[in-house]
Amino acid sequence: MTSQPGPTAPLPDADQIRRAPKVLLHDHLDGGLRPGTVVDLARACGYEGLPEYDGDKLGTWFREAADSGSLERYLETFAHTCAVMQTSDALRRVASECAQDLAEDGVVYAEVRYAPEQHLDGGLSLEEVVRAVNAGFREGERLAREKGRRIRVGALLTAMRHAARALEIAELANAHRDSGVVGFDIAGAEAGYPPTRHLDAFEYLKRENNHFTIHAGEAFGLPSIWQALQWCGADRLGHGVRIIDDIDVAEDGSVTLGRLAAYVRDKRIPLELCPSSNLQTGAAPSYAEHPIGLLRRLHFRATVNTDNRLMSGTSMSREFGALVETFGYGLDDMQWFTVNAMKSAFIPFDERLAMINDVIKPGYAELKSEWLFSQTAVTS
Ligand SMILES: O=c1[nH]cnc2c1ncn2[C@@H]1O[C@H](CO)[C@@H](O)[C@H]1O
Ligand SMILES: [Zn+2]
């Protein structure tokens, strides 16, 4: 049997997807706890508000409660996770487990975000919150390394868009830029809280030559994306999935980009897409209809992310698994998304380049060659 030159590797299976090096830019610390840890921490701090005190049942409860079709109702579930993350020990444990879980899932680089202002109820200062989370990430990286897994985790400090502490949190992020905090974000309900409310924070960070992303174009459409980019100067878009509203696909398949969509693509603005989260908040109807398919085809700087692993019962491998199944993506596509993400990370250029050339590409090359040595390749 002769074969055509070109990519012959079969679609990646679950094990290959897990082993493939992955890069995660959009993951919330308070949206990624292990269900069992929520229970442990609630017991330890005397929080009596959990709907379930059995880990498995609680995991199911989070997934179902978050499956509400509205961002506002989805966000209500965070009251429970934040309630148990109010001491240094709790924050350190959650951050450590986060790094270990991501490493176990094959993530080699992650930027994990949280809102320090939501962790002050137990008497911690903003400073102490950041120090506890950083200590947890370092511990998790070390424990992962001891198990032969390599991961680097940077923190993004989030300010809540309905609150008024954005400048203070931006200053906190800047103060810690050389100790584990790689950037800034705003999150929370989008409708009614435009990013321009926090212009002072963004202008401050620009003057400091620092980096930030903005949740925009998730529950609310183009005006939010436009403000985030053209008024606030965001380096990346958290979600940004509604950019699809500025893309017209005619019946004959021809595509026309509006001015904003063209700008986003031309300027290579990274889109932190979170497919499963979008299905839960109603931002997309199904994986098959998720705009990621079109955005990838049109070569937007699209990246794949988890958003909230607890609320969506997901992981990077699960997100990629769904995309492989839905769109028939192969390892080349996975590598494309992963390189996009690494290019868009907030760490220095030389480190990003080394991650791409020395970790990501060799990892995919190894996986892409496996079919050559498999039993089926010999016998077929
Ligand atoms: O998809 C999202 N859109 C907007 N806000 C979110 C999303 N996921 C989580 N948060 C919000 O970010 C806070 C800090 O991590 C969380 O407490 C939650 O309120
Ligand atoms: Zn998010």
Side-chain angles (χ1 to χ4, degrees):
M1 191 182 91
T2 56
S3 64
Q4 299 294 320
T8 343
L11 293 186
D13 61 27
D15 180 56
Q16 288 176 312
I17 292 172
R18 191 187 57 78
R19 286 186 290 129
K22 292 172 289 293
V23 171
L24 173 53
L25 300 179
H26 191 130
D27 186 82
H28 293 257
L29 185 67
D30 54 330
L33 291 79
R34 299 175 186 168
T37 298
V38 182
V39 173
D40 280 357
L41 294 176
R43 291 224 166 90
C45 73
Y47 175 63
E48 294 182 346
L50 287 187
E52 297 284 352
Y53 281 79
D54 167 84
D56 289 342
K57 286 189 186 147
L58 185 64
T60 307
W61 180 88
F62 270 108
R63 287 196 296 282
E64 288 175 355
D67 222 356
S68 55
S70 119
L71 177 60
E72 284 75 9
R73 300 230 307 279
Y74 175 91
L75 293 178
E76 285 170 13
T77 59
F78 288 80
H80 298 296
T81 54
C82 287
V84 303
M85 296 168 71
Q86 300 297 337
T87 63
S88 288
D89 282 351
L91 287 166
R92 202 185 61 217
R93 171 169 172 187
V94 171
S96 173
E97 290 178 355
C98 168
Q100 293 174 62
D101 292 352
L102 295 179
E104 198 59 37
D105 191 40
V107 174
V108 292
Y109 177 79
E111 291 179 2
V112 178
R113 64 191 75 195
Y114 63 99
E117 65 198 79
Q118 297 191 129
H119 305 281
L120 307 177
D121 293 349
L124 294 178
S125 66
L126 290 171
E127 208 37 61
E128 287 168 328
V129 171
V130 174
R131 268 192 255 126
V133 173
N134 281 347
F137 286 146
R138 300 295 80 76
E139 179 186 294
E141 287 170 342
R142 182 173 51 75
L143 292 172
R145 202 160 48 239
E146 284 171 10
K147 288 170 88 182
R149 304 215 175 273
R150 298 190 298 179
I151 185 167
R152 271 188 61 177
V153 182
L156 299 177
L157 300 193
T158 293
M160 299 308 292
R161 55 204 307 158
H162 59 267
R165 300 187 80 157
L167 180 57
E168 198 182 348
I169 303 303
E171 287 169 349
L172 187 68
N174 202 54
H176 285 273
R177 64 189 302 172
D178 295 320
S179 52
V181 175
V182 299
F184 174 80
D185 162 55
I186 59 167
E190 195 172 359
Y193 300 103
T196 42
R197 276 171 51 103
H198 307 291
L199 266 187
D200 53 352
F202 303 125
E203 282 170 0
Y204 164 77
L205 289 168
K206 279 192 276 185
R207 284 199 302 275
E208 294 294 334
N209 305 304
N210 211 326
H211 312 285
F212 56 95
T213 176
I214 296 181
H215 274 76
E218 177 188 17
F220 202 65
L222 298 176
S224 174
I225 295 179
W226 176 71
Q227 281 199 9
L229 294 177
Q230 312 303 15
W231 287 82
C232 306
D235 297 292
R236 307 194 306 233
L237 293 170
H239 294 281
V241 60
R242 295 261 48 96
I243 196 63
I244 199 80
D245 296 347
D246 202 34
I247 302 175
D248 188 58
V249 184
E251 272 186 20
D252 67 358
S254 62
V255 175
T256 312
L257 303 189
R259 296 273 185 217
L260 182 60
Y263 182 90
V264 168
R265 187 171 71 162
D266 292 343
K267 298 283 270 190
R268 315 307 299 139
I269 307 285
L271 303 174
E272 303 164 359
L273 300 172
C274 310
S276 293
S277 167
N278 291 160
L279 303 196
Q280 290 182 295
T281 61
S286 65
Y287 287 117
E289 293 161 276
H290 194 282
I292 194 166
L294 181 63
L295 295 169
R296 193 257 175 278
R297 257 201 299 127
L298 298 176
H299 286 267
F300 278 76
R301 176 70 74 81
T303 69
V304 175
N305 300 274
T306 48
D307 208 11
N308 297 294
R309 287 169 288 117
L310 172 64
M311 284 72 180
S312 298
T314 198
S315 63
M316 280 299 273
S317 292
R318 185 174 168 278
E319 293 302 306
F320 272 116
L323 297 176
V324 166
E325 195 173 310
T326 307
F327 297 105
Y329 287 155
L331 287 165
D332 283 327
D333 300 280
M334 279 189 72
Q335 176 175 324
W336 182 81
F337 283 114
T338 306
V339 169
N340 272 352
M342 200 63 239
K343 283 179 177 170
S344 312
F346 288 158
I347 54 169
F349 172 73
D350 52 348
E351 295 174 27
R352 300 197 311 252
L353 202 61
M355 286 291 272
I356 291 171
N357 289 328
D358 302 336
V359 179
I360 295 168
K361 287 187 176 173
Y364 279 91
E366 169 77 27
L367 288 166
K368 279 190 270 182
S369 67
E370 279 180 357
W371 69 277
L372 287 166
F373 306 100
S374 71
Q375 205 62 27
T376 44
V378 176
T379 53
S380 66

